[in-house]
């Protein structure tokens, strides 16, 4: 359902603080956020129900819901810095990112949020890029910005920095970062990070003061892939983080473009591999990029919990709609406990694709997703960007 | 029809001299050679009929058939050099080359002719190759030879020379050259050319003493493409001779493989273009080549004029079998004079694909080919390697 922009409900300050508290509660990932908001109609109602839901899902300790005062303080600090919090369903939330199934419930931004919903291309690549790679990144980024595209990257050394810098003059660049908006990383990019906040936009999932850790980077990569019509890879070794971004872009059905390179350079291997398998378009110039990217942006859709005139009336029970589970009287009914045991047996601490879980058991996609979401609430599993799921170490 | 090798008729010395005379007569290209041999059963009979055929086809002057003494002398000089003449239909004629529609009627070889019919890969590329390109050519060529393949190239500077040299040790290399066997080109490759003759094989269409000219190179490229299961391109600028070899390989339904390179290097453009359009397989290592090449060689087939127990009985008339033209009484009959005028109007001195001629007129492929062959006998057109045809300047 498409709704005109004026129909997006404006959240109250309390709603926003509750939303932030809900999304910062361990066990509430993007999928459970959608589920809880849809079932309870508001973050406040979901928070009230959460302890009961989590206990029922098997969690022994109380959920670690952040306090109102801590999250109020967080938003005050954000405001003081000149930043904004965007919630899924906000008119300024990145348009393409809102289309992915595990879109982050909240984002923190510093800069011009209009940059987040433009026609955009991700340009990513090696930190230890070659001089040739840097030159290609600069020229393609500048040309894409000249053509009116926003250039999205991850503010890393090498290709990322070159891509940002080349699109900075018209302000057509967005840096997705792994740490908080007030944390400079890498240190030598302090000026570039400030300039992007002034002329383009910075965006992150992390709270203020967060120093980026290795585990944050796949989330950062998800933002780049999710906000872009397509991702251009310039130099990537096999097994590099750049290929994680490429994987994510593919899982979101975005275009993949690769600048080829000599097989003698290990930095060409990752990209050449994508070309060899036909997953990416060989890219030499801006024409190749423009030809590969879709012409149109999708229309902005309301989030499920915004689709009634106001909010949904709170649901009375904890169970999924019967469309997921069927009813005990009907053929094809799935016992949630049986489903949970079956699904758990297919998981390990190494993330596996949710699709693989579905393929290996006899349940529907929606039943598997509901089971996994319930296991997340119970503190048993966590979802990993790119449609994967892992057992949490206990 | 497949015939066992002992069934290949052994040509007499006179037959061989007549065959050489026939193929060296202007107006008798590979297609007319097949036609004349099939119609008259032997080169001697075809030579006897040739002046009449050519006059009927519109030629005013007598055909320039080389004399018996000149061609005898040519073969004596070849024998003295240690070389051999191979005629289409000979058991030692290059197996894969014999499968193409415009295979050269005769070849001159120096070295081990068994190399000409092995599982082979063409490795070709830029004369002014980069150090990286040379290194890739050397390592892939050595590995392919190690895997038991023969490496075919054109003895040019750069990639070609590197490919030959790397496969020289096991003697698994064939150089297709544009000039005569006794002519060294390029001069700095004198030693390499001699070594290939000693340990591998040299092959050419040119008579002894011929200095290579620009117009000979497409014929040389046809030999490389025609003798190989596939061609590997390492560095090729747009519009380079290497891309002519690639075109020929495609026209013979051979595999195309390309080592990619940076868009900043003009020597990558030709290859990257082939990758971009999906015409070639991106190649980084020997595994990519082995996977792309067909596992089996075709079986050796007899040439049309060898397919009767002995030779065909000479045909009485000049006309094509009625299967080409139909009969005047039948519907669909084509008047050869009308066909000739229609086809001529579609030609110019710039070569066009025979396929394009067929598409633009209402005649069958075989009628168009017969018309063009008749025009070649008449001195009006010439066939160009790669299935193309051009008007001769008068």
């Amino acid at each position: 359902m498409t709704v005109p922009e004026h129909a997006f409900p404006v959240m109250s300050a309390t709603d926003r603080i509750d939303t932030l508290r809900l999304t910062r509660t361990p066990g509430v990932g993007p999928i459970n956020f959608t589920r809880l908001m849809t079932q309870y109609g508001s973050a406040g109602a979901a928070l009230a129900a959460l302890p009961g839901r989590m206990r029922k899902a098997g969690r022994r300790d109380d959920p670690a819901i952040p306090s109102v005062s801590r999250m109020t303080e967080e938003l005050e600090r954000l405001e003081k810095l000149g930043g904004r919090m965007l919630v899924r369903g906000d008119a300024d939330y990145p348009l393409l990112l809102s289309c992915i199934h595990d879109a982050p419930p909240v984002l923190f931004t510093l800069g011009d949020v209009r940059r987040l919903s433009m026609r955009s291309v991700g340009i990513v690549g090696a930190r230890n890029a070659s001089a040739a790679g840097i030159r290609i990144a600069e020229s393609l980024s500048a040309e894409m910005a000249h053509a009116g595209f926003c250039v999205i990257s991850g503010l890393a050394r090498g290709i990322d920095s070159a891509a940002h810098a080349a699109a900075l003059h018209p302000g057509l660049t967005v840096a997705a970062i792994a740490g908080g908006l007030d944390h400079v990383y890498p240190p030598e990019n302090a000026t570039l990070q400030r300039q992007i906040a002034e002329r383009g936009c910075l965006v992150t999932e992390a709270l203020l003061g967060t120093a980026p850790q290795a585990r944050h980077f796949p989330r950062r990569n998800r933002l780049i892939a999710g906000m872009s019509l397509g991702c251009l890879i310039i130099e990537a070794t096999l097994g590099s983080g750049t290929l994680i971004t490429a994987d994510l872009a593919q899982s979101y059905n975005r275009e993949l473009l690769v600048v080829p390179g000599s097989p003698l350079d290990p930095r060409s291997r990752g990209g050449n591999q994508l070309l060899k398998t036909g997953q990416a378009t060989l890219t030499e110039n801006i024409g190749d990029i423009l030809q590969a990217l879709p012409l149109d942006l999708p229309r902005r859709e309301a989030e499920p919990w915004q689709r009634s005139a106001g909010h949904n009336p709170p649901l009375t029970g904890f169970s999924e709609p019967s469309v997921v589970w069927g009813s005990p009287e009907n053929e094809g009914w799935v016992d949630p406990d049986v489903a949970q045991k079956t699904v758990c047996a297919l998981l390990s601490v190494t993330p596996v694709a949710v699709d693989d879980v579905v393929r290996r058991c006899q349940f529907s996609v929606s039943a598997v997703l509901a089971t996994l979401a319930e296991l997340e609430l119970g503190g048993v599993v966590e979802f990993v960007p790119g449609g994967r799921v892992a057992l949490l170490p206990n």
Side-chain angles (χ1 to χ4, degrees), chain A:
Chain A
M1 194 180 96
T2 309
V3 293
E5 235 156 268
H6 57 80
F8 281 84
V10 177
M11 293 174 91
S12 70
T14 309
D15 275 346
R16 296 186 83 78
I17 290 164
D18 282 343
T19 300
L20 185 54
R21 292 172 67 211
L22 182 61
T23 65
R24 292 294 146 176
T25 304
V28 181
I31 289 162
N32 266 318
F33 175 78
T34 306
R35 239 170 131 228
L36 294 167
M37 289 294 284
T38 309
Q39 284 169 20
Y40 299 99
S42 74
L47 284 172
L50 202 52
R53 282 297 298 268
M54 284 187 158
R55 264 193 305 278
K56 188 170 186 310
R59 196 184 283 263
R60 304 232 180 95
D61 47 354
D62 274 340
I65 301 175
S67 68
V68 172
S69 62
R70 221 188 104 210
M71 291 298 106
T72 305
E73 194 198 333
E74 175 77 24
L75 290 182
E76 281 167 3
R77 283 173 60 210
L78 180 66
E79 199 174 340
K80 209 164 152 195
L81 189 75
R84 279 183 64 184
M85 177 172 90
L86 299 178
V87 180
R88 269 175 49 200
D90 284 353
D92 288 331
Y93 188 91
L95 173 57
L96 282 170
L97 191 64
S98 72
C99 302
I100 72 176
H101 67 282
D102 59 351
V106 303
L107 294 171
F108 306 101
T109 67
L110 192 59
D112 186 345
V113 293
R114 291 173 305 175
R115 297 287 166 266
L116 305 172
S117 295
M118 292 178 64
R119 292 188 73 208
S120 301
V121 62
I123 300 185
V124 292
R127 284 179 172 75
N128 66 335
S130 71
I134 295 285
R135 211 173 117 199
I136 293 169
E138 286 171 347
S139 70
L140 290 178
S141 171
E143 289 177 79
M144 287 304 288
H146 190 75
F149 281 76
C150 186
V151 173
I152 301 181
S153 195
L155 201 62
R157 298 178 182 98
I159 298 296
D160 287 21
S161 299
H164 286 303
L168 192 62
H169 177 67
L172 287 173
T173 191
V174 165
I177 61 177
L181 293 172
D182 55 349
H183 191 93
V184 169
Y185 186 85
E188 67 264 41
N189 276 353
T191 305
L192 185 58
Q193 185 166 339
R194 185 176 45 73
Q195 288 173 322
I196 293 171
E198 284 167 8
R199 304 166 79 161
C201 196
L202 286 182
V203 59
T204 184
E205 285 189 71
L207 296 178
L208 291 173
T210 309
Q213 296 180 301
R215 65 189 171 84
H216 295 131
F217 285 95
R219 287 172 180 276
R220 186 270 310 254
N221 294 349
R222 166 175 65 167
L223 296 183
I224 299 171
M227 291 190 292
S228 306
L229 290 167
C231 272
L232 173 65
I233 315 286
I234 304 173
E235 299 192 344
T237 55
L238 290 171
S240 63
T242 303
L243 294 191
I244 295 179
T245 308
D247 273 354
L248 290 166
Q250 285 201 293
S251 76
Y252 304 149
N253 295 315
R254 306 297 161 81
E255 293 301 321
L256 261 191
L257 302 118
V258 166
V259 175
S262 166
L264 294 185
D265 189 339
R267 290 169 292 204
S268 304
R269 301 258 165 82
N272 286 352
Q273 186 63 30
L274 292 168
L275 292 171
K276 205 188 282 184
T277 54
Q279 295 172 86
T281 302
L282 192 146
T283 303
E284 295 184 297
N285 51 49
I286 185 180
D288 298 326
I289 307 176
L290 295 177
Q291 196 166 21
L293 296 184
L295 280 175
D296 295 310
L297 285 172
R299 289 210 287 176
R300 199 178 278 277
E301 307 264 327
E303 294 291 341
W305 60 90
Q306 299 176 315
R307 290 190 188 173
S308 322
H311 285 170
N312 294 331
L315 301 182
T316 48
F318 298 157
S319 58
E320 298 292 322
S322 64
V323 67
V324 173
W325 296 108
S327 298
E329 309 86 57
N330 298 341
E331 213 183 338
W333 178 73
V334 178
D335 180 334
D337 290 337
V338 172
Q340 203 154 319
K341 273 185 199 134
T342 309
V343 166
C344 264
L346 295 169
L347 303 177
S348 79
V349 290
T350 308
V352 292
V354 173
D355 285 349
D356 285 340
V357 177
V358 171
R359 260 193 292 276
R360 295 206 202 156
C361 66
Q362 73 278 38
F363 312 126
S364 66
V365 178
S366 50
V368 169
L369 271 179
T371 302
L372 289 171
E374 220 38 48
L375 288 167
E376 186 190 48
L377 283 181
V380 180
V381 308
E382 71 172 340
F383 287 95
V384 181
R388 291 177 305 149
V389 66
L391 283 183
L392 283 169
N394 49 6

